[in-house]
């Protein structure tokens, strides 16, 4: 019998001293540390589609799970407040960042959100980063169960040999070319393409070319 079940049963049977005494005897024999729930924090980065976000947050709702939502500074916070008003264990990040896709501001938003989560004083076993455009294909219970079975482990994938070299070659333009993601100017992607066509790759960027 779980702790929540016992508490609810006690409240239901307050008028029966025999049952209350029996439950108290059971509670003294149980080591509740075996039943402590893993604390999981879901960090969602959202910028549009508040109704879709509402569905995602409901799907992520589970005992021991709390979800923080970072809403892009460019978005209207009111519609997201309305979309999350009826949800428990959901907190909107207060330190919002204007995020530009593919730019360093996305990392800034994640770092600022994690700092706010840490400042909450709650110890989370895991922080799960999710896009507001994501939607899990499996029940959240399976995800939690997997983490419980692998508590303390981190999962990082990597490539070796030719597979790693091929990956780097395919992404070389990420650090060899100029990117205007963070600039708020008209036709920025046209200008980005033009600049990269006219200007040569700088010497410092050539030194990081993949071989």
């Amino acid at each position: 019998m779980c702790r929540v079940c016992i508490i609810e049963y006690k409240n239901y049977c307050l008028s029966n001293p025999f049952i209350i005494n029996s439950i108290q005897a059971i509670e003294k024999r149980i080591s509740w540390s075996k039943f402590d729930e893993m604390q999981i924090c879901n960090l969602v980065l959202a910028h549009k589609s508040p109704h879709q976000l509402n569905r995602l947050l409901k799907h992520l709702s589970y005992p021991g799970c709390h979800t923080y939502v970072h809403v892009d500074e460019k978005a209207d916070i009111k519609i997201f407040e309305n979309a999350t008003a009826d949800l428990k264990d959901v907190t909107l990040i207060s330190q919002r960042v204007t995020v530009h896709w593919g730019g360093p501001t996305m990392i800034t938003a994640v770092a600022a959100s994690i700092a706010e989560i840490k400042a909450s004083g709650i110890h989370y076993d895991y922080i799960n980063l999710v896009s507001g455009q994501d939607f899990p294909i499996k029940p959240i219970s399976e995800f939690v169960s997997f983490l419980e079975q692998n508590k303390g482990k981190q999962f990082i994938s990597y490539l070796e040999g030719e597979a790693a070299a091929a990956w780097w070659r395919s992404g070389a333009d990420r650090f060899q070319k100029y990117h205007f993601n963070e600039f708020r100017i008209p036709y920025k992607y046209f200008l980005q393409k033009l600049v990269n066509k006219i200007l040569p790759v700088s010497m410092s960027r050539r030194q990081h070319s993949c071989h």
Side-chain angles (χ1 to χ4, degrees), residues 154-167:
Q154 302 293 333
F155 302 92
I156 303 175
S157 61
Y158 64 95
L159 300 172
E160 294 182 306
E162 178 55 30
W167 188 93

Side-chain angles (χ1 to χ4, degrees), residues 160-181:
E160 294 182 306
E162 178 55 30
W167 188 93
W168 277 107
R169 285 195 294 270
S170 68
D173 63 335
R174 299 184 183 185
F175 57 87
Q176 289 181 334
K177 294 186 177 181
Y178 299 91
H179 301 277
F180 292 180
N181 302 58

Side-chain angles (χ1 to χ4, degrees), residues 3-204:
R3 184 187 296 185
V4 174
C5 296
I6 286 182
I7 293 173
E8 291 181 350
Y9 195 58
K10 283 173 66 176
N11 293 335
Y12 182 75
C13 302
L14 286 175
S15 59
N16 192 319
F18 175 78
I19 293 179
I20 293 298
N21 291 335
S22 299
I23 291 176
Q24 289 175 342
I26 293 173
E27 288 182 308
K28 290 180 181 179
R29 295 188 178 187
I30 292 179
S31 174
W32 287 115
S33 60
K34 297 180 181 179
F35 299 94
D36 284 344
E37 294 173 334
M38 175 178 285
Q39 297 298 307
I40 299 173
C41 174
N42 298 302
L43 171 56
V44 180
L45 299 185
H47 67 287
K48 64 177 184 178
S49 306
H51 295 297
Q52 180 179 330
L53 175 66
N54 181 277
R55 289 185 58 201
L56 171 63
L57 296 177
K58 288 180 178 177
H59 188 88
L60 295 176
S61 179
Y62 196 77
C65 294
H66 191 101
T67 300
Y68 285 78
V69 181
H70 175 277
V71 178
D72 194 321
E73 179 68 28
K74 299 190 299 294
D76 182 1
I77 191 63
K78 292 296 182 183
I79 60 176
F80 286 91
E81 289 175 342
N82 293 336
T84 59
D86 63 331
L87 303 176
K88 296 189 300 181
D89 297 322
V90 173
T91 301
L92 295 180
I93 294 292
S94 60
Q95 299 298 319
R96 299 165 63 202
V97 176
T98 298
V99 177
H100 299 283
W101 184 89
T105 46
M106 186 171 290
I107 300 175
T108 302
V110 173
S113 298
I114 291 177
E116 190 165 324
I117 292 169
K118 185 177 179 181
S120 70
I122 301 174
H123 171 76
Y124 292 104
D125 297 281
Y126 288 95
I127 296 180
N128 174 40
L129 181 61
V130 185
S131 165
Q133 304 306 298
D134 290 338
F135 199 86
I137 59 174
K138 292 187 177 182
I140 186 64
S141 57
E142 291 188 23
F143 178 65
V144 173
S145 177
F146 175 81
L147 292 181
E148 287 176 338
Q149 294 171 22
N150 295 276
K151 187 173 182 179
K153 295 181 181 178
Q154 302 293 333
F155 302 92
I156 303 175
S157 61
Y158 64 95
L159 300 172
E160 294 182 306
E162 178 55 30
W167 188 93
W168 277 107
R169 285 195 294 270
S170 68
D173 63 335
R174 299 184 183 185
F175 57 87
Q176 289 181 334
K177 294 186 177 181
Y178 299 91
H179 301 277
F180 292 180
N181 302 58
E182 298 291 343
F183 295 165
R184 301 184 65 181
I185 56 177
Y187 309 107
K188 65 179 180 181
Y189 291 114
F190 171 78
L191 293 174
Q192 173 181 296
K193 185 176 181 179
L194 184 63
V195 167
N196 281 303
K197 191 171 183 178
I198 297 174
L199 297 181
V201 176
S202 65
M203 184 60 67
S204 61

